[in-house]
Amino acid sequence: MKRHVPCWASSPARTTACSNCPIPAKCCRCPPLTNVPLTKPWFAGVANVRGALYSVVDFSAFRGGEATPRNSEARLLLVGSRHGINSALLVNRTLGLKGLADMTEEAPADNAPAWSGARYVDPSGQAWTRLQIKSLLDDPEFLNVSN
């Protein structure tokens, strides 16, 4: 089985691996976001990315962490495009592509959400979690942005 090289992103709460798919999520600088009233605090707003509107979820805040700082390193991972959903995750930075060959795979935690896949530990001891994008996009909590 071919092991794909995922795109890696960091958020204030935890560092997360993106996507168990052959095509990594597209990534772009965070454009201005339009706030949407009566939504949950983790719903960052709507962004115009190359002429298409994307709903933007602050991934750290969604997982119960601190809000992602909106600075020059903040990025949007356009995770829903290949599934026909214009959804993006706001992360505090991206770390490029990393191979899995030097990492040790661990099982996900027992209480991990369905969209949280295998965990990996790199040689420096940093833990990474594989994000199951389709499961995240199907998660009722992720879909329910209204407050």
Side-chain angles (χ1 to χ4, degrees), residues 19-91:
S19 152
N20 188 17
C21 62
I23 303 168
K26 293 180 183 177
C27 177
C28 68
R29 289 180 186 245
C30 186
L33 300 177
T34 302
N35 290 330
V36 179
L38 304 175
T39 57
K40 295 198 174 156
W42 48 261
F43 187 74
V46 178
N48 181 339
V49 179
R50 297 179 209 103
L53 292 179
Y54 281 80
S55 63
V56 179
V57 170
D58 182 328
F59 196 49
S60 175
F62 173 72
R63 294 176 308 160
E66 297 176 21
T68 300
R70 299 194 190 166
N71 56 30
S72 62
E73 289 190 351
R75 296 291 184 261
L76 290 185
L77 297 178
L78 309 178
V79 296
S81 300
R82 71 184 300 247
H83 300 287
I85 301 169
N86 285 0
S87 184
L89 301 178
L90 176 63
V91 297

